[in-house]
mmCIF file of all heavy atoms in Angstrom:
data_model
loop_
_atom_site.group_PDB
_atom_site.id
_atom_site.type_symbol
_atom_site.label_atom_id
_atom_site.label_comp_id
_atom_site.label_asym_id
_atom_site.label_seq_id
_atom_site.Cartn_x
_atom_site.Cartn_y
_atom_site.Cartn_z
ATOM 1 N N TYR A 1 97.143 132.617 85.343
ATOM 2 C CA TYR A 1 96.402 132.467 84.085
ATOM 3 C C TYR A 1 95.414 131.297 84.154
ATOM 4 O O TYR A 1 94.244 131.432 83.805
ATOM 5 C CB TYR A 1 97.400 132.245 82.945
ATOM 6 C CG TYR A 1 96.804 132.344 81.562
ATOM 7 C CD1 TYR A 1 97.059 133.457 80.757
ATOM 8 C CD2 TYR A 1 95.997 131.333 81.030
ATOM 9 C CE1 TYR A 1 96.523 133.568 79.477
ATOM 10 C CE2 TYR A 1 95.450 131.433 79.766
ATOM 11 C CZ TYR A 1 95.721 132.544 78.988
ATOM 12 O OH TYR A 1 95.183 132.645 77.726
ATOM 13 N N VAL A 2 95.880 130.144 84.604
ATOM 14 C CA VAL A 2 95.095 128.899 84.529
ATOM 15 C C VAL A 2 94.098 128.785 85.686
ATOM 16 O O VAL A 2 93.012 128.235 85.519
ATOM 17 C CB VAL A 2 96.044 127.678 84.473
ATOM 18 C CG1 VAL A 2 95.259 126.374 84.435
ATOM 19 C CG2 VAL A 2 96.977 127.774 83.261
ATOM 20 N N LYS A 3 94.502 129.248 86.871
ATOM 21 C CA LYS A 3 93.649 129.221 88.070
ATOM 22 C C LYS A 3 93.202 127.805 88.474
ATOM 23 O O LYS A 3 92.005 127.542 88.677
ATOM 24 C CB LYS A 3 92.425 130.118 87.898
ATOM 25 C CG LYS A 3 92.763 131.602 87.765
ATOM 26 C CD LYS A 3 91.491 132.441 87.611
ATOM 27 C CE LYS A 3 91.800 133.930 87.636
ATOM 28 N NZ LYS A 3 92.703 134.360 86.543
ATOM 29 N N PRO A 4 94.146 126.863 88.609
ATOM 30 C CA PRO A 4 93.755 125.546 89.138
ATOM 31 C C PRO A 4 93.433 125.668 90.623
ATOM 32 O O PRO A 4 93.744 126.682 91.258
ATOM 33 C CB PRO A 4 95.026 124.707 88.923
ATOM 34 C CG PRO A 4 96.141 125.701 89.010
ATOM 35 C CD PRO A 4 95.599 126.973 88.409
ATOM 36 N N ASN A 5 92.827 124.644 91.195
ATOM 37 C CA ASN A 5 92.582 124.648 92.639
ATOM 38 C C ASN A 5 93.875 124.413 93.414
ATOM 39 O O ASN A 5 94.051 124.927 94.515
ATOM 40 C CB ASN A 5 91.566 123.569 93.021
ATOM 41 C CG ASN A 5 90.207 123.818 92.396
ATOM 42 O OD1 ASN A 5 89.770 123.067 91.529
ATOM 43 N ND2 ASN A 5 89.542 124.890 92.809
ATOM 44 N N VAL A 6 94.753 123.594 92.824
ATOM 45 C CA VAL A 6 96.026 123.232 93.469
ATOM 46 C C VAL A 6 97.118 123.228 92.414
ATOM 47 O O VAL A 6 96.892 122.801 91.279
ATOM 48 C CB VAL A 6 95.939 121.817 94.110
ATOM 49 C CG1 VAL A 6 97.250 121.441 94.795
ATOM 50 C CG2 VAL A 6 94.782 121.728 95.098
ATOM 51 N N ILE A 7 98.324 123.695 92.791
ATOM 52 C CA ILE A 7 99.471 123.605 91.889
ATOM 53 C C ILE A 7 100.441 122.568 92.457
ATOM 54 O O ILE A 7 100.781 122.607 93.645
ATOM 55 C CB ILE A 7 100.168 124.979 91.693
ATOM 56 C CG1 ILE A 7 101.252 124.895 90.626
ATOM 57 C CG2 ILE A 7 100.717 125.535 92.999
ATOM 58 C CD1 ILE A 7 100.737 124.765 89.216
ATOM 59 N N SER A 8 100.849 121.640 91.624
ATOM 60 C CA SER A 8 101.812 120.617 92.016
ATOM 61 C C SER A 8 103.180 121.029 91.494
ATOM 62 O O SER A 8 103.337 121.366 90.325
ATOM 63 C CB SER A 8 101.393 119.262 91.420
ATOM 64 O OG SER A 8 102.147 118.222 91.989
ATOM 65 N N ILE A 9 104.186 121.027 92.373
ATOM 66 C CA ILE A 9 105.515 121.513 92.005
ATOM 67 C C ILE A 9 106.505 120.365 91.840
ATOM 68 O O ILE A 9 106.370 119.322 92.465
ATOM 69 C CB ILE A 9 106.044 122.539 93.032
ATOM 70 C CG1 ILE A 9 106.119 121.939 94.438
ATOM 71 C CG2 ILE A 9 105.149 123.785 93.039
ATOM 72 C CD1 ILE A 9 106.750 122.848 95.489
ATOM 73 N N ASP A 10 107.505 120.578 90.987
ATOM 74 C CA ASP A 10 108.527 119.539 90.805
ATOM 75 C C ASP A 10 109.646 119.722 91.825
ATOM 76 O O ASP A 10 109.689 120.703 92.565
ATOM 77 C CB ASP A 10 109.055 119.541 89.363
ATOM 78 C CG ASP A 10 109.728 120.850 88.989
ATOM 79 O OD1 ASP A 10 110.687 121.253 89.678
ATOM 80 O OD2 ASP A 10 109.292 121.472 87.998
ATOM 81 N N TYR A 11 110.563 118.754 91.856
ATOM 82 C CA TYR A 11 111.572 118.744 92.920
ATOM 83 C C TYR A 11 112.700 119.761 92.716
ATOM 84 O O TYR A 11 113.573 119.899 93.570
ATOM 85 C CB TYR A 11 112.160 117.334 93.102
ATOM 86 C CG TYR A 11 112.711 116.705 91.849
ATOM 87 C CD1 TYR A 11 113.984 117.024 91.390
ATOM 88 C CD2 TYR A 11 111.965 115.774 91.131
ATOM 89 C CE1 TYR A 11 114.494 116.439 90.235
ATOM 90 C CE2 TYR A 11 112.463 115.199 89.991
ATOM 91 C CZ TYR A 11 113.721 115.524 89.546
ATOM 92 O OH TYR A 11 114.220 114.954 88.405
ATOM 93 N N ASN A 12 112.689 120.482 91.585
ATOM 94 C CA ASN A 12 113.661 121.553 91.386
ATOM 95 C C ASN A 12 113.135 122.905 91.865
ATOM 96 O O ASN A 12 113.814 123.919 91.738
ATOM 97 C CB ASN A 12 114.035 121.659 89.901
ATOM 98 C CG ASN A 12 114.852 120.465 89.445
ATOM 99 O OD1 ASN A 12 115.765 120.030 90.149
ATOM 100 N ND2 ASN A 12 114.522 119.903 88.292
ATOM 101 N N THR A 13 111.922 122.919 92.403
ATOM 102 C CA THR A 13 111.287 124.160 92.840
ATOM 103 C C THR A 13 111.577 124.414 94.317
ATOM 104 O O THR A 13 111.453 123.508 95.147
ATOM 105 C CB THR A 13 109.761 124.080 92.621
ATOM 106 O OG1 THR A 13 109.512 123.812 91.251
ATOM 107 C CG2 THR A 13 109.082 125.374 93.001
ATOM 108 N N ASN A 14 111.946 125.626 94.630
ATOM 109 C CA ASN A 14 112.207 126.009 96.020
ATOM 110 C C ASN A 14 110.871 126.261 96.719
ATOM 111 O O ASN A 14 110.151 127.204 96.367
ATOM 112 C CB ASN A 14 113.067 127.282 96.048
ATOM 113 C CG ASN A 14 113.464 127.683 97.451
ATOM 114 O OD1 ASN A 14 112.668 127.644 98.377
ATOM 115 N ND2 ASN A 14 114.708 128.080 97.620
ATOM 116 N N PRO A 15 110.507 125.443 97.713
ATOM 117 C CA PRO A 15 109.183 125.588 98.351
ATOM 118 C C PRO A 15 108.995 126.924 99.062
ATOM 119 O O PRO A 15 107.899 127.471 99.084
ATOM 120 C CB PRO A 15 109.114 124.411 99.323
ATOM 121 C CG PRO A 15 110.531 123.998 99.555
ATOM 122 C CD PRO A 15 111.266 124.315 98.291
ATOM 123 N N LYS A 16 110.064 127.464 99.647
ATOM 124 C CA LYS A 16 109.961 128.755 100.342
ATOM 125 C C LYS A 16 109.656 129.884 99.371
ATOM 126 O O LYS A 16 108.837 130.759 99.646
ATOM 127 C CB LYS A 16 111.260 129.060 101.098
ATOM 128 C CG LYS A 16 111.393 128.332 102.417
ATOM 129 C CD LYS A 16 112.612 128.813 103.162
ATOM 130 C CE LYS A 16 112.753 128.099 104.498
ATOM 131 N NZ LYS A 16 113.981 128.543 105.214
ATOM 132 N N LYS A 17 110.321 129.845 98.223
ATOM 133 C CA LYS A 17 110.128 130.901 97.233
ATOM 134 C C LYS A 17 108.733 130.862 96.629
ATOM 135 O O LYS A 17 108.091 131.895 96.444
ATOM 136 C CB LYS A 17 111.186 130.801 96.132
ATOM 137 C CG LYS A 17 112.554 131.284 96.567
ATOM 138 C CD LYS A 17 113.541 131.257 95.409
ATOM 139 C CE LYS A 17 114.922 131.766 95.842
ATOM 140 N NZ LYS A 17 115.891 131.725 94.720
ATOM 141 N N ILE A 18 108.272 129.649 96.307
ATOM 142 C CA ILE A 18 106.952 129.554 95.676
ATOM 143 C C ILE A 18 105.846 129.950 96.649
ATOM 144 O O ILE A 18 104.829 130.528 96.264
ATOM 145 C CB ILE A 18 106.694 128.150 95.076
ATOM 146 C CG1 ILE A 18 105.509 128.226 94.104
ATOM 147 C CG2 ILE A 18 106.452 127.100 96.140
ATOM 148 C CD1 ILE A 18 105.346 127.030 93.229
ATOM 149 N N LEU A 19 106.062 129.692 97.937
ATOM 150 C CA LEU A 19 105.057 130.035 98.941
ATOM 151 C C LEU A 19 104.828 131.547 99.008
ATOM 152 O O LEU A 19 103.725 132.008 99.309
ATOM 153 C CB LEU A 19 105.497 129.506 100.304
ATOM 154 C CG LEU A 19 104.494 129.636 101.452
ATOM 155 C CD1 LEU A 19 103.182 128.945 101.118
ATOM 156 C CD2 LEU A 19 105.079 129.060 102.728
ATOM 157 N N LYS A 20 105.859 132.314 98.691
ATOM 158 C CA LYS A 20 105.752 133.775 98.723
ATOM 159 C C LYS A 20 104.931 134.323 97.554
ATOM 160 O O LYS A 20 104.432 135.446 97.609
ATOM 161 C CB LYS A 20 107.151 134.403 98.700
ATOM 162 C CG LYS A 20 107.952 134.164 99.972
ATOM 163 C CD LYS A 20 109.353 134.728 99.835
ATOM 164 C CE LYS A 20 110.185 134.432 101.090
ATOM 165 N NZ LYS A 20 111.571 134.925 100.933
ATOM 166 N N LYS A 21 104.806 133.514 96.486
ATOM 167 C CA LYS A 21 104.163 134.016 95.267
ATOM 168 C C LYS A 21 102.792 133.411 94.987
ATOM 169 O O LYS A 21 101.997 133.978 94.255
ATOM 170 C CB LYS A 21 105.071 133.735 94.060
ATOM 171 C CG LYS A 21 106.397 134.469 94.113
ATOM 172 C CD LYS A 21 107.227 134.140 92.873
ATOM 173 C CE LYS A 21 108.534 134.906 92.869
ATOM 174 N NZ LYS A 21 109.334 134.613 91.652
ATOM 175 N N ILE A 22 102.526 132.242 95.545
ATOM 176 C CA ILE A 22 101.313 131.488 95.202
ATOM 177 C C ILE A 22 100.274 131.635 96.310
ATOM 178 O O ILE A 22 100.610 131.623 97.495
ATOM 179 C CB ILE A 22 101.648 129.990 94.988
ATOM 180 C CG1 ILE A 22 102.695 129.819 93.888
ATOM 181 C CG2 ILE A 22 100.397 129.194 94.666
ATOM 182 C CD1 ILE A 22 102.295 130.303 92.525
ATOM 183 N N ASN A 23 99.001 131.744 95.928
ATOM 184 C CA ASN A 23 97.949 131.898 96.943
ATOM 185 C C ASN A 23 96.903 130.785 96.884
ATOM 186 O O ASN A 23 95.773 130.958 97.312
ATOM 187 C CB ASN A 23 97.277 133.260 96.798
ATOM 188 C CG ASN A 23 96.624 133.435 95.430
ATOM 189 O OD1 ASN A 23 96.705 132.549 94.579
ATOM 190 N ND2 ASN A 23 95.970 134.566 95.225
ATOM 191 N N ILE A 24 97.285 129.646 96.308
ATOM 192 C CA ILE A 24 96.394 128.476 96.293
ATOM 193 C C ILE A 24 97.131 127.304 96.938
ATOM 194 O O ILE A 24 98.356 127.348 97.111
ATOM 195 C CB ILE A 24 95.967 128.106 94.846
ATOM 196 C CG1 ILE A 24 97.191 127.731 93.984
ATOM 197 C CG2 ILE A 24 95.150 129.222 94.213
ATOM 198 C CD1 ILE A 24 96.846 127.144 92.641
ATOM 199 N N PRO A 25 96.430 126.227 97.322
ATOM 200 C CA PRO A 25 97.102 125.064 97.886
ATOM 201 C C PRO A 25 98.209 124.539 96.972
ATOM 202 O O PRO A 25 98.107 124.595 95.747
ATOM 203 C CB PRO A 25 95.966 124.047 98.041
ATOM 204 C CG PRO A 25 94.750 124.883 98.246
ATOM 205 C CD PRO A 25 94.954 126.082 97.365
ATOM 206 N N ILE A 26 99.258 124.024 97.608
ATOM 207 C CA ILE A 26 100.449 123.534 96.899
ATOM 208 C C ILE A 26 100.620 122.052 97.198
ATOM 209 O O ILE A 26 100.356 121.587 98.310
ATOM 210 C CB ILE A 26 101.694 124.329 97.336
ATOM 211 C CG1 ILE A 26 101.564 125.792 96.904
ATOM 212 C CG2 ILE A 26 102.977 123.723 96.764
ATOM 213 C CD1 ILE A 26 102.590 126.731 97.527
ATOM 214 N N GLN A 27 101.077 121.310 96.197
ATOM 215 C CA GLN A 27 101.315 119.877 96.337
ATOM 216 C C GLN A 27 102.740 119.534 95.911
ATOM 217 O O GLN A 27 103.267 120.103 94.958
ATOM 218 C CB GLN A 27 100.327 119.088 95.476
ATOM 219 C CG GLN A 27 100.662 117.583 95.365
ATOM 220 C CD GLN A 27 99.709 116.840 94.448
ATOM 221 O OE1 GLN A 27 98.634 116.465 94.881
ATOM 222 N NE2 GLN A 27 100.098 116.626 93.197
ATOM 223 N N GLY A 28 103.331 118.571 96.605
ATOM 224 C CA GLY A 28 104.553 117.940 96.108
ATOM 225 C C GLY A 28 105.842 118.697 96.348
ATOM 226 O O GLY A 28 105.964 119.502 97.253
ATOM 227 N N GLY A 29 106.829 118.383 95.495
ATOM 228 C CA GLY A 29 108.129 119.037 95.548
ATOM 229 C C GLY A 29 109.234 118.195 96.140
ATOM 230 O O GLY A 29 110.408 118.476 95.942
ATOM 231 N N ILE A 30 108.888 117.161 96.891
ATOM 232 C CA ILE A 30 109.919 116.342 97.539
ATOM 233 C C ILE A 30 110.581 115.434 96.504
ATOM 234 O O ILE A 30 109.909 114.768 95.715
ATOM 235 C CB ILE A 30 109.307 115.523 98.698
ATOM 236 C CG1 ILE A 30 108.802 116.475 99.788
ATOM 237 C CG2 ILE A 30 110.321 114.539 99.272
ATOM 238 C CD1 ILE A 30 107.987 115.824 100.880
ATOM 239 N N ASN A 31 111.903 115.412 96.513
ATOM 240 C CA ASN A 31 112.664 114.633 95.531
ATOM 241 C C ASN A 31 112.479 113.134 95.793
ATOM 242 O O ASN A 31 112.791 112.652 96.895
ATOM 243 C CB ASN A 31 114.144 114.997 95.614
ATOM 244 C CG ASN A 31 114.932 114.494 94.418
ATOM 245 O OD1 ASN A 31 114.646 113.433 93.866
ATOM 246 N ND2 ASN A 31 115.929 115.238 94.009
ATOM 247 N N PRO A 32 111.984 112.376 94.799
ATOM 248 C CA PRO A 32 111.774 110.937 95.014
ATOM 249 C C PRO A 32 113.051 110.176 95.342
ATOM 250 O O PRO A 32 113.002 109.101 95.944
ATOM 251 C CB PRO A 32 111.168 110.457 93.688
ATOM 252 C CG PRO A 32 111.357 111.556 92.718
ATOM 253 C CD PRO A 32 111.532 112.820 93.472
ATOM 254 N N LYS A 33 114.219 110.742 94.995
ATOM 255 C CA LYS A 33 115.499 110.075 95.309
ATOM 256 C C LYS A 33 115.754 110.006 96.806
ATOM 257 O O LYS A 33 116.523 109.167 97.275
ATOM 258 C CB LYS A 33 116.639 110.811 94.617
ATOM 259 C CG LYS A 33 116.690 110.582 93.115
ATOM 260 C CD LYS A 33 117.894 111.246 92.485
ATOM 261 C CE LYS A 33 117.922 110.973 90.978
ATOM 262 N NZ LYS A 33 119.062 111.653 90.322
ATOM 263 N N LEU A 34 115.101 110.900 97.569
ATOM 264 C CA LEU A 34 115.280 110.877 99.029
ATOM 265 C C LEU A 34 114.745 109.580 99.640
ATOM 266 O O LEU A 34 115.189 109.167 100.711
ATOM 267 C CB LEU A 34 114.595 112.087 99.666
ATOM 268 C CG LEU A 34 115.351 113.424 99.541
ATOM 269 C CD1 LEU A 34 114.455 114.587 99.900
ATOM 270 C CD2 LEU A 34 116.602 113.418 100.410
ATOM 271 N N LEU A 35 113.794 108.954 98.953
ATOM 272 C CA LEU A 35 113.257 107.688 99.448
ATOM 273 C C LEU A 35 114.204 106.518 99.181
ATOM 274 O O LEU A 35 113.953 105.398 99.612
ATOM 275 C CB LEU A 35 111.876 107.402 98.844
ATOM 276 C CG LEU A 35 110.690 108.032 99.587
ATOM 277 C CD1 LEU A 35 110.639 109.535 99.350
ATOM 278 C CD2 LEU A 35 109.375 107.399 99.180
ATOM 279 N N LEU A 36 115.289 106.800 98.463
ATOM 280 C CA LEU A 36 116.304 105.770 98.198
ATOM 281 C C LEU A 36 117.465 105.878 99.177
ATOM 282 O O LEU A 36 118.329 105.007 99.226
ATOM 283 C CB LEU A 36 116.852 105.901 96.767
ATOM 284 C CG LEU A 36 115.851 105.865 95.621
ATOM 285 C CD1 LEU A 36 116.581 105.998 94.286
ATOM 286 C CD2 LEU A 36 115.021 104.590 95.645
ATOM 287 N N GLY A 37 117.508 106.981 99.930
ATOM 288 C CA GLY A 37 118.643 107.235 100.818
ATOM 289 C C GLY A 37 118.364 106.860 102.260
ATOM 290 O O GLY A 37 117.643 105.902 102.553
ATOM 291 N N SER A 38 118.909 107.657 103.169
ATOM 292 C CA SER A 38 118.805 107.347 104.595
ATOM 293 C C SER A 38 117.520 107.916 105.190
ATOM 294 O O SER A 38 116.978 108.914 104.711
ATOM 295 C CB SER A 38 120.001 107.932 105.346
ATOM 296 O OG SER A 38 119.934 109.350 105.359
ATOM 297 N N LYS A 39 117.063 107.280 106.255
ATOM 298 C CA LYS A 39 115.880 107.766 106.964
ATOM 299 C C LYS A 39 116.147 109.144 107.574
ATOM 300 O O LYS A 39 115.258 109.988 107.643
ATOM 301 C CB LYS A 39 115.472 106.778 108.064
ATOM 302 C CG LYS A 39 114.847 105.504 107.537
ATOM 303 C CD LYS A 39 114.393 104.615 108.687
ATOM 304 C CE LYS A 39 113.669 103.382 108.155
ATOM 305 N NZ LYS A 39 113.226 102.499 109.259
#
């Protein structure tokens, strides 16, 4: 509906699933809490 150039996804979104449905560049999705844990 909106037709942005890029869609930014939240960390509850499955990147594999969204890739099957979306045909524009994708941004984000990584949980910021991972930067608090182990390397």
Side-chain angles (χ1 to χ4, degrees):
Y1 191 106
V2 178
K3 295 181 174 61
N5 297 112
V6 181
I7 187 72
S8 191
I9 59 175
D10 62 57
Y11 54 81
N12 290 317
T13 303
N14 184 317
K16 281 187 179 178
K17 285 184 179 179
I18 196 167
L19 187 57
K20 291 176 183 177
K21 296 180 178 181
I22 302 298
N23 60 358
I24 62 170
I26 295 168
Q27 170 183 278
I30 295 171
N31 194 326
K33 287 184 179 178
L34 283 166
L35 274 73
L36 304 180
S38 69
K39 287 183 176 180

